Each structure stands twice: as structure tokens, then as C-alpha cells.
Amino acid sequence: MSLPLSDQEKHQPSVAEQADADYEQINQQFDLDPADIATHAPSLRGRKLTAAVAFVAGTGFTLFGYDQGVMSSLITGNQFEATFPEVVVEASHPNHATLQSFTIAIYEVGCLFGALSNLWVGDKLGRRRTIVLGGSIMMIGAILQTTAFSFAQLIFSRILTGYGNGLITSTVPTYHAELSPSAKRGRMIMMEGTLIVVGVTIAYWVDLALFFVNWSSAQWRVPIALQLVFEIIMVTFIGFLPESPRWLVKHGRNAEAMAVISAMEDKPPSDPEVQRTYYGIREAVAVETSSQGSLRELITGGRSQNFRRTVIAVVCQMMQQLTGINLVTYYATILFQRLGLSDVNARITAAANGTEYFLASFLAYYAVDYVGRRQLMLIGTIGQCIVMLLLAILGYINNGPAQIVSVVLLFGFNTFFAIGWLGMAWLYCAELAGLRTRAPTNALSTASNWTFNFVVVMVVGPSFNNISWRTYIVFAALNAAIVPVVYFFFPETGGRSLEDLDVVFALAHITGEDPVKVSLRKDVPLAGSREADEILGVSTGVQYHHATKPSTSVSLSSEARTPA
């Protein structure tokens, strides 16, 4: 026997009726067709989607690390030297030290041009297609490197491989940041730094294993060819992932963007958090598309502070290289040989160094969202400065015990770099730029990374040949100079959404405060709030879960409409 329903129960909406109401609300509020949103829904959602994006992005950075580490010991292998005598450093050919450095460093020139080309192709192709293009170019370059029989072919193929890697490394951090919830973004992108070291470590151990194949060119051809595994995985699996919602909104594909955000949050489109994220992105796009887009926007100020943000990003990547990390990464085997280790022991120590580097990177992974970006960079830089200074002192002493301690200190340098700069530079630059300038800013910052990567790698070989242990003094001084730059000029980006950072810089402009100080405040309004709209100069009629349909266009104040 059933009881009669109360009036309230009689009017309780069914699941279907509630869904219809939610869809009507979305249609009224954002002028989006719910059926269109459902059509574009990704097959993966929530944690599965986050994990899949992290896997593809991580594969790209493992590939990056593998390419950085693979030449470390190959270049002094007997089979490589037999095929390319131009890299054999002898007293009768002192200029070969420069050619040896050139063979390693020319890869960075390709990376530089790849990163710079992203200024033009990045926003046109989108994040996914740019990564696919870069991966495909790397495959061709890897095949040409593997089959090289002349020094000219080797150099050309290294430039080509680097070009593809430049496209990838200037796109993957942005893609990963734009598909990561703000609460997890720091750890997810710091994991990319860890995976760079995974690639370096794999390269060191593969080189060590093949070192004993001293009767065949497989000693160096197989390690170079193995990068194809990472390239194929990355290009194949990114086809199953969605495009960045921020890029989609920027290009008018709003329903698809809402579907991706819903999948990222693993919540329905009617959820307030999904709508706030979508609205925050749409609001940022409206501000950033209020003027004609061009590379000139990179030098504008005003509320967007594009010039300041671009300069900080470029300097950040420059400083990552000037710490001296690639003195260790690219020349690990040679450095350990200079410290008195045999060919085999030098390679074993280099592989162990890479393994310790990988383990140390987890310190930053767990600390980044608790300690903050600035603090970790400062801790890492101070530690690196002290290590370089000690290496110079021990290099001057240059006896057996001093060499042993120097080996240990090279492990210590990697530890401090892993804490402060390994993944941090990529994370920080991806977070810092505004949406409208994010692709060109990351292209320029990545180009800065590769430019100074080339400078460091090119200089180190001749430097050790000419001034020996004094090379460490140069890098100690550079690390010392980095500390005040970070402290006085680098805002904190942790704990905020990418759109919240627009509010930080706009508020600093309006109040005349230092953006660093504003970034450390806890009272900065969140993007999407009425207070944030006023700071950004945006006037909208949007209210979440409001029955009145807002205007589909975002009206901008005259100040926001005119670039500074």
C-alpha cells in the first residue's frame, strides 16, 4: 500500500526534467547548444583524461631528455670516432675540441628555429597538431642521424631533429598547463621535469650497455634510433586527446571547449565550477581579442602587462641554462674522465648520476604546490652557486681526494637543479603568459632556452681546454647573479588559475604596485568574479545559474579595448 504524495513531492522534478532545466540554463546563459556540447565530449574524463594528457606530455619530455643525454658518451666511443674523425680531440688537432662541442650544440640551433617558428604556426595549427608536426619532423631527423655516414649528414640531421624538438618543447608545457586543473597544475608539469631526467638516465644506461659493442657502429646507431619509440608513442596517442579549451575558445569553438572543461573536471556542463572555468576563459579571450592580434602585443603594457611577462619568461629560460646544468648533462662522461675515471667507470658514474638526478626531481614534485615557485628557484640557485664554487676550489687543489669529492659534488649540483630549475622553468613560463600571447611568449622563452643552451654547450669544451677549473668560477658567478633577479622580479604563480594571473597583473597596473608583491597577496579576486571583471575592465551580464540570458558578446571598457 503506497502513501499519497505530498504537494512538494508531486512537484519534485524527475532526472530527465532536471537535465532539461540544466540544458536550458546553459543555452540561456552561454548561448551553447547542449547537443553540440555532447557531440564533442571526449571519450576520457576526469583522472583518466588528466593521466592521458600527462602521459603524452611526459613522453614528449622524456624524448627531450633522451636527446639531451644520448650524445654524452657516444661522442667519445671508438665506433663514433671511427665514423666521424672530426670529433677526435688530439694534440695535433686542437680545433677538434670546438668541432666536438659543435656536434653536440648544433642540435640546439635546430631547437631554436623550431621554437621560433612556433610564433607563426602555434596558434594557427593548435596545440595538438603542432606537437604532431614536431614529432613527425623528429622521426625523419632520427632516421637520418641513425643512417649517417658523413659528418655533413650528421650535422644536418641533428639540426632537423632539433627543429622538431623545438616545436614540441615550446608547445607541450602550454598544452599540459591548459588541460590541468590549477590545484594540480604545478605537480603535473613538474613531473615533466622529472621525465626529462628519465630520458637522460635512459640514454646514459643505453649508451653504457652499447659501449661494449665496440666492433660495430651499432654502438652509436642503436641509441640514436631508440628515440623513435618515444616519437611514435607521442604522435600516436595525442590523436586520442582533446584540444586545449583555451585555444578552442579563442578560435570560436565554444561548445567543444565547454565539453573539454566538463571532461577535465569530470562534472556536467551545468556544474558551477565548470561554468566558472569556461566563463573565466571566455572573459580572458574577450579581453585579449579586443584589439588586432600581432606580435607587437608582446611589447604592450597596460592591464595585460604583456611586455613584462614576456621578458620574465625569456629571462627565466635563459637563466635555467646559465646555471650550468648542461655542462653536466652533455659532458658528464667527459667530466668524469677528466676527474681520473676510466672510460667504463666514467660511463657507469654518469649513468648513476642520471639515476640520482631522477630521484632528486621528486623533491620538487612534492614541494612545488606547498613551498611555491619562487622559493624553490631561490633554494636551487643558492645551492648551485655553492657547489660550483666548491668545484672550482677542488679543481685548483686537483689531487686524488679532491677529485673524489668533485664527483660527489656533481651529483649535488644535479640535486639542487632538480629542486629549483628542472621542471620549474617550463612550468613558470607556461603559467605566466596571458592567453592571447601565450603561444608566442612560450615560443620566445623556449627559443631563449635553446639559444643559451647552445652558448653553454658550445663554450664548455674549449673553456675547459683553456681555463680548466676556472670554468666553474664563471658559473658560480652566474648563479649568484640569478638570486636577486628571481627575488625582485619573479611574481609567484602557484595556487592560481591561468586566468587569475591576468587579474594579478591588471591589479598591479591599476594600483601602481609591484606585481611580485601583488602575487603574494591572498585577497586578489578570482577570475570570473565581479571584482575581477572590474579590475580587468570587462563589463558583462553573466550571472551563474541565472534565468536571464546574457548578451553573447562581452562589452569592454574603453581602456581595455585600447592596447597600451
Side-chain angles (χ1 to χ4, degrees):
M1 178 178 177
S2 61
L3 297 174
L5 297 173
S6 66
D7 290 342
Q8 185 176 359
E9 290 173 326
K10 289 177 182 178
H11 292 89
Q12 187 72 25
S14 66
V15 174
E17 289 172 336
Q18 183 61 50
D20 288 341
D22 290 342
Y23 288 156
E24 180 62 25
Q25 180 262 322
I26 295 168
N27 198 347
Q28 287 186 344
Q29 184 150 316
F30 297 112
D31 195 28
L32 297 177
D33 182 357
D36 198 12
I37 296 173
T39 300
H40 291 102
S43 56
L44 298 174
R45 299 182 64 84
R47 291 183 178 180
K48 291 182 179 178
L49 176 58
T50 301
V53 172
F55 173 74
V56 171
T59 302
F61 271 78
T62 303
L63 171 62
F64 169 27
Y66 187 87
D67 264 6
Q68 277 196 311
V70 75
M71 292 299 291
S72 174
S73 63
L74 293 187
I75 202 160
T76 56
N78 69 314
Q79 288 296 318
F80 192 88
E81 291 181 339
T83 308
F84 308 108
E86 293 86 350
V87 303
V88 180
V89 180
E90 297 173 329
S92 58
H93 297 94
N95 63 315
H96 282 196
T98 302
L99 282 177
Q100 189 183 74
S101 292
F102 179 76
T103 304
I104 297 174
I106 196 64
Y107 176 77
E108 274 68 56
V109 173
C111 293
L112 168 63
F113 285 113
L116 287 175
S117 68
N118 215 7
L119 288 166
W120 295 275
V121 304
D123 267 339
K124 291 181 181 179
L125 294 180
R127 317 301 190 222
R128 290 197 314 160
R129 286 186 290 179
T130 301
I131 293 170
V132 169
L133 175 62
S136 301
I137 291 172
M138 286 194 78
M139 289 183 199
I140 298 171
I143 292 170
L144 290 176
Q145 274 192 83
T146 304
T147 57
F149 282 95
S150 70
F151 190 65
Q153 182 181 343
L154 177 70
I155 295 302
F156 172 78
S157 58
R158 282 187 63 74
I159 294 173
L160 186 64
T161 308
Y163 183 88
N165 194 44
L167 285 172
I168 292 170
T169 53
S170 59
T171 305
V172 166
T174 300
Y175 179 69
H176 199 181
E178 292 179 342
L179 276 168
S180 298
S182 59
K184 299 179 180 179
R185 188 177 64 242
R187 285 192 175 187
M188 297 306 296
I189 299 181
M190 287 299 286
M191 180 55 71
E192 290 178 2
T194 298
L195 291 172
I196 292 175
V197 187
V198 170
V200 172
T201 306
I202 292 172
Y204 286 167
W205 285 108
V206 168
D207 286 355
L208 174 62
L210 272 295
F211 174 71
F212 299 100
V213 185
N214 54 14
W215 63 88
S216 168
S217 62
Q219 184 188 60
W220 63 269
R221 295 188 192 276
V222 171
I224 290 176
L226 282 177
Q227 65 183 283
L228 285 164
V229 175
F230 301 111
E231 293 156 4
I232 292 169
I233 290 173
M234 181 181 63
V235 170
T236 301
F237 281 89
I238 201 169
F240 297 97
L241 297 180
E243 183 55 86
S244 155
R246 290 166 176 84
W247 186 87
L248 292 170
V249 170
K250 187 174 179 180
H251 289 78
R253 294 159 63 175
N254 296 318
E256 190 173 347
M258 177 68 89
V260 174
I261 295 167
S262 173
M264 284 167 53
E265 303 285 349
D266 199 16
K267 297 173 182 176
S270 58
D271 184 86
E273 186 62 28
V274 172
Q275 293 189 9
R276 192 187 79 81
T277 301
Y278 171 76
Y279 173 60
I281 294 172
R282 198 182 73 173
E283 175 186 277
V285 171
V287 173
E288 292 161 350
T289 57
S290 59
S291 60
Q292 291 297 316
S294 73
L295 294 180
R296 287 182 297 177
E297 290 179 45
L298 293 173
I299 58 172
T300 60
R303 301 191 192 204
S304 66
Q305 295 289 287
N306 286 335
F307 181 67
R308 179 190 291 266
R309 295 159 86 169
T310 301
V311 169
I312 292 172
V314 168
V315 170
C316 179
Q317 289 282 26
M318 175 190 75
M319 293 193 309
Q320 189 209 42
Q321 291 305 309
L322 292 181
T323 60
I325 181 57
N326 282 320
L327 176 154
V328 182
T329 302
Y330 283 102
Y331 293 96
T333 301
I334 296 173
L335 285 178
F336 290 128
Q337 287 173 331
R338 288 176 62 89
L339 292 172
L341 298 181
S342 67
D343 287 352
V344 174
N345 287 339
R347 285 166 171 78
I348 292 174
T349 307
N353 180 266
T355 304
E356 186 275 338
Y357 190 13
F358 161 66
L359 295 174
S361 67
F362 283 99
L363 296 173
Y365 172 79
Y366 287 108
V368 65
D369 286 324
Y370 298 103
V371 178
R373 281 52 162 165
R374 281 162 41 90
Q375 288 87 338
L376 287 180
M377 282 191 272
L378 289 170
I379 291 169
T381 308
I382 292 169
Q384 290 159 190
C385 180
I386 293 170
V387 168
M388 284 292 181
L389 191 59
L390 292 174
L391 283 168
I393 294 170
L394 293 169
Y396 173 75
I397 297 171
N398 195 30
N399 57 23
Q403 290 178 337
I404 293 172
V405 176
S406 294
V407 169
V408 175
L409 284 174
L410 287 171
F411 280 72
F413 182 87
N414 279 355
T415 300
F416 282 114
F417 184 84
I419 291 172
W421 288 95
L422 173 60
M424 189 67 71
W426 304 99
L427 167 64
Y428 193 79
C429 294
E431 290 180 326
L432 193 67
L435 175 62
R436 186 169 175 81
T437 59
R438 188 164 295 145
T441 297
N442 276 282
L444 285 176
S445 65
T446 305
S448 171
N449 181 289
W450 292 118
T451 299
F452 286 91
N453 193 324
F454 172 79
V455 170
V456 170
V457 174
M458 192 69 201
V459 164
V460 163
S463 177
F464 270 107
N465 275 351
N466 289 297
I467 62 173
S468 188
W469 55 269
R470 296 174 184 83
T471 303
Y472 294 121
I473 296 178
V474 175
F475 286 104
L478 289 170
N479 277 282
I482 288 170
V483 173
V485 175
V486 172
Y487 185 82
F488 289 109
F489 299 105
F490 280 39
E492 180 58 62
T493 60
R496 302 184 186 277
S497 74
L498 300 179
E499 288 69 42
D500 288 342
L501 291 169
D502 291 334
V503 182
V504 168
F505 282 96
L507 181 59
H509 171 71
I510 293 169
T511 62
E513 293 182 76
D514 183 351
V516 175
K517 293 181 179 179
V518 175
S519 72
L520 298 174
R521 286 168 48 180
K522 303 298 183 184
D523 61 341
V524 178
L526 297 176
S529 66
R530 185 181 301 277
E531 295 84 354
D533 290 348
E534 293 173 355
I535 291 169
L536 291 169
V538 180
S539 174
T540 71
V542 175
Q543 296 292 330
Y544 296 119
H545 297 292
H546 197 281
T548 304
K549 178 181 176 180
S551 169
T552 57
S553 63
V554 179
S555 174
L556 303 172
S557 70
S558 58
E559 184 177 348
R561 200 176 294 121
T562 305

